[in-house]
Amino acid sequence: PVAEQYDLLVPLTRWVLREVGAQHAAWRRQDLDLVVGINLHARHLSTGTLVDDVFSALAESGMPPGNLVCELTETSVAEDPECAASQLAELRRRGVEVSIDDFGSGFSSLGQLVNLPTGVLKIDRSLVAFTEGRESHAAAAIAAIVALGRACGSESLAEGVETAEQLALATALGCTFAQGYHLARPMPAADL
């Protein structure tokens, strides 16, 4: 909220893009070929400069476009869906992946899924971290999202995987990717 109040969201995203590029270059020198995801805010989409900002940072660092995933929540495109879709399509056309974060939480819109050019659906942790006795319900929801994503040409990522059981379920249901404390906790880049 403070960054938004002082109109710092776009400058902060530009800084994050440069830092990600620099860190990726450092990892490449260590023979680590990693994919890095960054979160985008609606404010950046509404400026119309997102594509230029992303590719400027990639060019500066030498980071390949295929190693960057731009993540956004469904609500972040609500301000100007056509402008957002145009920029996201251009990112994907030029090799940067785009994902919808927290899919399955709140008011997920199938219209957004159909209209947004995304390649990854990040299944919200609330579905992955099912409560005792609710595994079959969680499995049904995850399977539906995986199938829906596949039908729309998207892969799926299970967020918030904290146990071997959750990872096994996500894998069995066809999730392409997973993230969470079971796999690794947040850490300094040098410790990776």
Side-chain angles (χ1 to χ4, degrees):
V2 172
E4 197 167 5
Q5 178 184 350
Y6 292 100
D7 206 25
L8 295 174
L9 289 168
V10 173
L12 282 172
T13 302
R14 289 178 181 140
W15 176 83
V16 167
L17 284 164
R18 287 191 306 274
E19 289 296 308
V20 163
Q23 182 59 61
H24 191 269
W27 282 329
R28 274 197 327 265
R29 289 190 294 275
Q30 297 172 4
D31 291 323
L32 294 171
D33 186 28
L34 302 173
V35 175
V36 181
I38 66 159
N39 293 308
L40 300 178
H41 190 274
R43 183 71 46 93
H44 208 135
L45 287 168
S46 67
T47 66
T49 66
L50 178 63
V51 174
D52 289 340
D53 292 340
V54 165
F55 282 95
S56 174
L58 292 178
E60 182 179 311
S61 67
M63 181 177 180
N67 288 83
L68 181 64
V69 178
C70 290
E71 302 176 4
L72 60 147
T73 60
E74 296 166 274
T75 55
S76 66
V77 298
E79 289 180 18
D80 189 348
E82 288 180 22
C83 180
S86 169
Q87 291 175 86
L88 300 176
E90 182 63 14
L91 288 174
R92 290 199 73 209
R93 188 185 69 70
R94 294 173 62 181
V96 172
E97 190 56 270
V98 175
S99 74
I100 297 178
D101 202 6
D102 301 330
F103 193 81
S105 66
F107 299 101
S108 298
S109 165
L110 295 180
Q112 293 287 30
L113 178 60
V114 170
N115 292 320
L116 290 178
T118 58
V120 178
L121 292 179
K122 293 183 74 174
I123 300 170
D124 189 65
R125 69 184 315 112
S126 65
L127 297 173
V128 175
F130 50 86
T131 56
E132 187 76 29
R134 304 297 290 177
E135 180 179 353
S136 64
H137 290 82
I142 293 168
I145 293 171
V146 169
L148 184 60
R150 232 183 244 135
C152 292
S154 294
E155 297 180 285
S156 56
L157 182 151
E159 291 185 299
V161 173
E162 296 185 2
T163 67
E165 181 183 25
Q166 291 168 350
L167 180 60
L169 179 64
T171 302
L173 294 172
C175 288
T176 311
F177 308 105
Q179 70 182 53
Y181 287 175
H182 178 69
L183 302 168
R185 291 192 172 269
M187 67 186 81
D191 293 349
L192 187 65

